[in-house]
Amino acid sequence: MPEPSAPPPTPPVSLAALLADGSLGLRLIAGLPDAPTERVAVHWVHTSEMADPYPYLLGGELLLTAGVQLTDAHAETYVRRVVEAGAAALGFGVAPVYDTVPDSLVEACDRHGLPLLEIPRRTPFTTVARGVWRLMAEARHRELRRVTEAQQGLAAAAARPDPVPAVLRQLAVRIGGRAVLFAPDGAELHATGRGPAPGSRTALARLARVVNPPGAASSSGAASPPTSATDTVGGARLSAYALGGGQGLVLGVAAGGREAGDHTVTGVAVVLLSLLTAPHQGAAEAGRSAALVRLLLGATPADAAPLLGPGPWTVVHAHGGDTPFAASALAAALGSALAETDGATVRVLTDRPVTAQPGWTLGASAPVEPAALAEGDTQAERALRHAEATRADLVHHREPGPDALTALVPPEEAAAHARARLAPIAGSPALTETLRTWLSLHGSWDRTAVALTVHRNTVRHRIARCAALLNADLDEADVRMDLWFALRRL
């Protein structure tokens, strides 16, 4: 089963994108008489003045050279070796060795189909490399955003009344192809989307038998079949994944291309479908609930509403419990089925009032709408730390209420004052949070250390650092009040 949390690899940059960057001034002069430049992928940049750069190339490079050791007699051999190494393109700087690109190099690149770029005098090689990395960073940002949106879309689909077809539809849309859930006997249980190439439907069914061959469940002593398999048919990329849960189900995916993040997106779908199709009892049900909670708390506001409904919802963080099913038991006691644990902290989403539970220490957020779940998660974490520091069974997050001071100061002025007052420590979340916690616990070193899970000497060091940076005497009540006001408005 693929790892759903792994980030997608950095996408390559197309040659077309490099040529379109006017700041570089690159010009294609050979090697691609008919083929589109969009299909040439540049994975990295390498500069070499070796007579034979072959041993130093990995493939996919834009190789930059000024032709220090290049001669007309050597051009043919040089280009052939670059092509054999798998370089994506060759960039030739017209200075300082040559005033123009040698005709022998142009002719050799045309013969071997190696894209040849002319790099003008005004463009240093470092500028070309920086341009490639910038375009890669932009492409990676777009891909990460696409993957994040796809993950949340799949999570939303998993929470719908008929989740399995909904997840398949969402997956097919996100990869721009076809998604199929195969039964143990190879029949299509659910299918959606279009096959990107003729024959891909039949080929996908064959591929599903690779990860779930006939008789695999009853055979003993034989090697286990692979959990995934891939193939290419008519330009279509096919993939098959055995779902967890021991049901013999297989997810088949067919797409016309393969974006860098498609593996990650499909991995999320495999996990969700494995949870959704497993028998909903005991650990399997708890696993499905935990996966949904993690996805819910990381959802964008637009995706959270269809997952949970209008709310309001309370996020609860809890420590305690001593059984494998403690998280589920706590959730049931709080009137919810949405719980997950990382082994130390249990998180629950509930739309019921939160009350203290025997054997547990709880921190509860203020009731929030689905769009504010991430904020509620932070509130609950903070409330739990406060509960442990004060040895309380339950602490609710409380928004600061209006008072005479805050009523006298317009919100925008209060925010401006907070930013200015706390500017010296604004760049350190550890200092800011330590000061906030220390003030909220009335300057108690021990309780602050418990709340932050650090040593009391660490608290003393951080508070001393805050006092020095803020140029403040923290023993003064007026100073503490001023800083508390700023922290509340930050």
Side-chain angles (χ1 to χ4, degrees), residues 379-399:
Q379 292 176 1
E381 178 186 12
R382 213 173 263 165
L384 176 60
R385 291 205 304 263
H386 197 281
E388 292 185 319
T390 57
R391 295 182 174 85
D393 294 332
L394 169 64
V395 168
H396 288 273
H397 173 83
R398 292 284 185 262
E399 294 292 343

Side-chain angles (χ1 to χ4, degrees), residues 18-317:
L18 278 174
L19 293 171
D21 189 338
S23 65
L24 301 178
L26 306 180
R27 188 168 67 93
L28 179 66
I29 60 175
L32 287 177
D34 301 315
T37 54
E38 290 84 357
R39 295 184 182 178
V40 179
V42 175
H43 291 266
W44 37 68
V45 180
H46 181 66
T47 300
S48 175
E49 297 300 340
M50 303 292 292
D52 180 13
Y54 180 97
Y56 308 97
L57 301 180
L58 299 175
E61 298 92 348
L62 169 59
L63 176 62
L64 307 180
T65 181
V68 173
Q69 301 194 55
L70 183 69
T71 63
D72 288 342
H74 181 56
E76 174 69 21
T77 302
Y78 180 85
V79 171
R80 177 172 52 80
R81 293 288 283 171
V82 171
V83 171
E84 289 174 354
L90 177 65
F92 192 91
V94 296
V97 182
Y98 286 88
D99 292 331
T100 60
V101 182
D103 292 339
S104 58
L105 186 63
V106 174
E107 294 167 0
C109 286
D110 273 334
R111 280 193 295 273
H112 289 275
L114 177 66
L116 176 61
L117 308 182
E118 180 187 72
I119 304 175
R121 296 174 183 270
R122 65 177 176 83
T123 306
F125 286 179
T126 53
T127 301
V128 177
R130 192 161 53 237
V132 171
W133 305 139
R134 175 177 51 79
L135 290 171
M136 282 185 172
E138 293 172 357
R140 179 167 175 77
H141 176 73
R142 289 192 299 270
E143 190 65 7
L144 286 172
R145 183 170 57 188
R146 183 182 76 88
V147 168
T148 299
E149 292 173 351
Q151 289 174 331
Q152 303 307 332
L154 289 167
R160 290 180 182 138
D162 197 5
V164 171
V167 169
L168 290 172
R169 284 194 299 271
Q170 187 68 213
L171 177 61
V173 169
R174 297 294 180 174
I175 64 172
R178 180 175 173 82
V180 183
L181 181 63
F182 291 100
D185 62 0
E188 292 186 0
L189 290 176
H190 301 282
T192 185
R194 294 183 177 181
S200 62
R201 178 171 178 173
T202 302
L204 191 59
R206 286 198 305 268
L207 195 64
R209 307 308 290 168
V210 173
V211 298
N212 185 35
S218 59
S219 63
S220 60
S224 299
T227 58
S228 64
T230 60
D231 196 4
T232 302
V233 174
R237 295 292 301 269
L238 310 180
S239 303
Y241 303 89
L243 300 186
Q247 306 300 300
L249 302 175
V250 176
L251 170 65
V253 173
R258 189 165 183 85
E259 299 295 333
D262 282 351
H263 180 74
T264 304
V265 173
T266 306
V268 173
V270 171
V271 171
L272 287 174
L273 289 170
S274 297
L275 294 169
L276 292 168
T277 57
H280 291 169
Q281 56 186 357
E285 180 68 16
R288 175 174 180 258
S289 172
L292 289 176
V293 170
R294 286 191 291 271
L295 290 167
L296 285 164
L297 292 174
T300 61
D303 290 319
L307 285 166
L308 290 177
W313 292 84
T314 300
V315 184
V316 179
H317 282 216

